Amino acid sequence: MGGKRRTNPAGSTNSFRGDVLRVLGVLKVATGDQIQRIGAPHLSHRHTDKDTPSKQKQARTASHTGALSDMRKHGLSENGGSTETGDSLRNLTLKGLEAASYELRRPVMEMGSTARGAGSSGASHPMAVNETVIAMLRPKPNMAKLADDPPHVQSAAQAAVDGPDGIGTIASYWTEVPLPATGTWNAPGKGGAQADLVLTAPQDGVPLLFIEVDNCHETAEEIADKLEKYARFFRRTAKDTDGKERPMWRTRWTAPEGPYGEVPHPPVLLVFNHIGERNPNHTVPRLRELTRHLWQGERQRGGHHLYDRKIPIIAVGLKNLRQHGPAGPVFLRFGRDHVQPLLEAIGNPRFEAAQAREAEEAKTRAAAYQEQVRRAAQEQAAKQAAEREARRPVCTGCGAKFTDARWDAVQPKVWGATKDSHPQLCNSCKQKAGAVVSPAADTPERQKPVRGEAGPDDFWPAPERPVCTECGAAFTDERWKATARVGWSTSPAKRPFLCGDCDQRFESDLEQIWGVSPRREQRDQEQEPAVPEQKTGWLSRLRR
């Protein structure tokens, strides 16, 4: 403990010193009270039992005051004068800015200046900027750090926790950011502007917002001239790392593209702190007319506007911002006749509503089309089913329609595949037909099959099997093969219209009638020796 005291005589901790680095790294100059309200808001609900507000402030800021004292000893911070109310101003040295860059995770070149000498004139404008940041942040107390505090302290802190949320963290803000119309980021030229605040909080719906704070000392013309410089900066393009030309501000910050090719510029929020002699109620209407060409959108058929290459300009009073926060309906966007929450003011709710309606209509049309396609498919399927049912074969035996399996079985197959023996019969009739011919099928030859019937092992299809014209019996396989035509010639059998039995009976009848069988007569003729024929050539004539 003694070593820590020698290093940090005021007894500060790393946590409080980190608060100082983060707050002053962003705000550049601030009071101990502002550092405490941003870095440790739970302390605002303690020490309410002190006699006076000054003693309460001294008690709740004591931890950060000690941290500033230790940091001053290490050359990280310094006193920067005092405000008009007598509060001491603190700012970081170059060494302190370098340490703050690690706390904020920012490049040192983006930390800005040390704000030395800002308190020589009371720092009224930096103080208004700081109060704007606090009003936008609305820091929430950590209830875990108040677990041992009295119930009334916890109740007051819980009310703050339950209040409307702010936007971003202290690391979401930049102050005194140059917007070069000429020159570079590090060496801006003439004709550019310098933003009082830049807010990047995409997690809270604000990807990029520029904030200008006015203590009501400037005229409407002076503010309009500053907004013209903003427009000039927004129109400036630069070559990005991929070699393509883009708006210069997009090379440093990220913001979504507008829909349908719309490219709006980032919004600018004007915060009026009414401590000067000018009335913002008179300044805002005049400023709105002077900058109409910068913010006025193009009205669309759906009643909304598109803001291609336009600047959304919003105005709010610091008093209302403190009271209601970003979620309160206290922001007036130029071109609209009613106040809105900040997210609605910087957005385009009418366009989003039109998009939602269009998406819903498209969804309805798509559903109707899908239903139409489904009905058409059902009708087509029903039509095809009816046509297929009309083509379904009918059994010639019983008249019943074929089942799908039976129909598939009798369909023509590939070349050489076994054909169904009874393609005109259903399964039941085919089985009955097989039962009738099965005893004869077991014999070596079927001499007298049922007329018109074919066995399961027939060589030719059953509908083509010949039938004897004499007895009406179907040909056996052997008789059918013996009487079949070969190529284009006629059948080799003499009587291809008769079965084997009738053909034999016909032969026997011929023998009885003529006495000699034509076959034997032909065989006898073939056995007689043939007389050799004499050649009549010139040699035979000489022999004579």
Side-chain angles (χ1 to χ4, degrees), residues 240-492:
D240 208 343
T241 54
D242 57 0
K244 296 181 180 180
E245 290 286 335
R246 286 186 174 84
M248 186 176 182
W249 63 269
R250 285 191 178 275
T251 64
R252 183 170 182 178
W253 298 291
T254 302
E257 297 283 352
Y260 300 108
E262 181 189 27
V263 187
H265 294 315
V268 177
L269 174 63
L270 304 176
V271 180
F272 292 94
N273 182 28
H274 195 187
I275 62 175
E277 67 279 3
R278 301 191 180 279
N279 188 345
N281 293 331
H282 298 157
T283 302
V284 170
R286 173 62 177 164
L287 179 62
R288 183 167 49 197
E289 295 301 321
L290 292 174
T291 58
R292 182 177 295 275
H293 62 287
L294 298 178
W295 55 260
Q296 189 170 38
E298 182 178 353
R299 186 176 180 84
Q300 303 298 305
R301 183 172 56 185
H304 60 278
H305 290 76
L306 291 182
Y307 299 96
D308 187 34
R309 294 175 177 82
K310 300 296 181 179
I311 305 176
I313 302 177
I314 305 99
V316 69
L318 180 56
K319 181 179 179 180
N320 287 333
L321 181 59
R322 281 174 175 164
Q323 182 178 356
H324 300 282
V330 293
F331 298 86
L332 177 66
R333 176 165 173 171
F334 287 5
R336 299 178 185 175
D337 56 359
H338 58 285
V339 291
Q340 300 170 288
L342 179 61
L343 296 184
E344 295 182 13
I346 65 177
N348 195 347
R350 288 185 178 179
F351 179 57
E352 294 172 359
Q355 280 186 311
R357 289 194 302 270
E358 184 177 348
E360 187 64 27
E361 292 173 359
K363 183 178 180 181
T364 303
R365 290 194 299 269
Y369 175 74
Q370 292 296 333
E371 179 64 21
Q372 182 180 359
V373 170
R374 186 183 64 81
R375 288 198 302 267
Q378 289 179 346
E379 293 173 359
Q380 181 67 16
K383 181 180 178 181
Q384 292 177 352
E387 293 176 353
R388 185 175 185 274
E389 196 64 26
R391 297 193 306 270
R392 184 182 295 274
V394 178
C395 177
T396 58
C398 64
K401 290 187 176 182
F402 280 23
T403 62
D404 289 342
R406 179 58 181 160
W407 191 3
D408 181 69
V410 301
Q411 290 293 325
K413 303 296 189 298
V414 297
W415 180 263
T418 303
K419 297 182 179 180
D420 193 270
S421 60
H422 297 77
Q424 76 280 10
L425 299 179
C426 65
N427 280 328
S428 299
C429 294
K430 177 183 176 182
Q431 292 175 1
K432 292 178 181 178
V436 171
V437 301
S438 58
D442 296 335
T443 62
E445 293 182 353
R446 286 180 60 189
Q447 298 296 332
K448 294 183 179 180
V450 180
R451 179 171 181 168
E453 180 194 353
D457 56 348
D458 290 339
F459 186 78
W460 281 275
E464 300 178 4
R465 183 180 295 276
V467 179
C468 180
T469 59
E470 182 66 21
C471 65
F475 281 24
T476 62
D477 290 344
E478 291 76 11
R479 182 59 181 170
W480 191 0
K481 294 178 182 179
T483 59
R485 298 177 61 180
V486 179
W488 295 97
S489 64
T490 59
S491 172

Side-chain angles (χ1 to χ4, degrees), residues 76-394:
L76 299 176
S77 68
E78 61 185 3
N79 294 334
S82 60
T83 65
E84 295 177 353
T85 58
D87 292 327
S88 298
L89 294 172
R90 309 301 178 97
N91 62 274
L92 297 178
T93 62
L94 291 176
K95 183 179 178 181
L97 286 175
E98 184 177 356
S101 69
Y102 291 101
E103 289 288 336
L104 296 170
R105 294 179 176 83
R106 293 182 183 176
V108 177
M109 63 182 65
E110 295 183 7
M111 295 303 298
S113 63
T114 60
R116 181 172 294 173
S120 58
S121 59
S124 60
H125 185 265
M127 293 300 100
V129 172
N130 294 352
E131 292 300 323
T132 299
V133 172
I134 296 173
M136 292 287 289
L137 278 175
R138 296 182 72 85
K140 301 285 186 174
N142 187 348
M143 295 301 298
K145 295 183 177 182
L146 298 175
D148 298 331
D149 286 88
H152 68 276
V153 173
Q154 296 182 6
S155 177
Q158 189 63 48
V161 171
D162 296 337
D165 293 331
I167 294 178
T169 64
I170 187 61
S172 303
Y173 294 81
W174 280 261
T175 58
E176 299 179 0
V177 180
L179 309 177
T182 60
T184 64
W185 291 108
N186 295 328
K190 295 182 178 180
Q194 179 172 277
D196 291 336
L197 281 170
V198 177
L199 168 61
T200 57
Q203 73 277 9
D204 293 327
V206 185
L208 182 61
L209 176 65
F210 293 88
I211 303 176
E212 285 294 319
V213 181
D214 178 40
N215 284 334
C216 295
H217 295 307
E218 297 179 331
T219 64
E221 287 74 12
E222 291 172 332
I223 300 175
D225 182 64
K226 182 178 290 187
L227 292 175
E228 290 286 354
K229 293 179 180 179
Y230 268 90
R232 201 176 163 198
F233 166 71
F234 290 151
R235 288 192 295 265
R236 184 180 179 183
T237 60
K239 188 172 290 187
D240 208 343
T241 54
D242 57 0
K244 296 181 180 180
E245 290 286 335
R246 286 186 174 84
M248 186 176 182
W249 63 269
R250 285 191 178 275
T251 64
R252 183 170 182 178
W253 298 291
T254 302
E257 297 283 352
Y260 300 108
E262 181 189 27
V263 187
H265 294 315
V268 177
L269 174 63
L270 304 176
V271 180
F272 292 94
N273 182 28
H274 195 187
I275 62 175
E277 67 279 3
R278 301 191 180 279
N279 188 345
N281 293 331
H282 298 157
T283 302
V284 170
R286 173 62 177 164
L287 179 62
R288 183 167 49 197
E289 295 301 321
L290 292 174
T291 58
R292 182 177 295 275
H293 62 287
L294 298 178
W295 55 260
Q296 189 170 38
E298 182 178 353
R299 186 176 180 84
Q300 303 298 305
R301 183 172 56 185
H304 60 278
H305 290 76
L306 291 182
Y307 299 96
D308 187 34
R309 294 175 177 82
K310 300 296 181 179
I311 305 176
I313 302 177
I314 305 99
V316 69
L318 180 56
K319 181 179 179 180
N320 287 333
L321 181 59
R322 281 174 175 164
Q323 182 178 356
H324 300 282
V330 293
F331 298 86
L332 177 66
R333 176 165 173 171
F334 287 5
R336 299 178 185 175
D337 56 359
H338 58 285
V339 291
Q340 300 170 288
L342 179 61
L343 296 184
E344 295 182 13
I346 65 177
N348 195 347
R350 288 185 178 179
F351 179 57
E352 294 172 359
Q355 280 186 311
R357 289 194 302 270
E358 184 177 348
E360 187 64 27
E361 292 173 359
K363 183 178 180 181
T364 303
R365 290 194 299 269
Y369 175 74
Q370 292 296 333
E371 179 64 21
Q372 182 180 359
V373 170
R374 186 183 64 81
R375 288 198 302 267
Q378 289 179 346
E379 293 173 359
Q380 181 67 16
K383 181 180 178 181
Q384 292 177 352
E387 293 176 353
R388 185 175 185 274
E389 196 64 26
R391 297 193 306 270
R392 184 182 295 274
V394 178

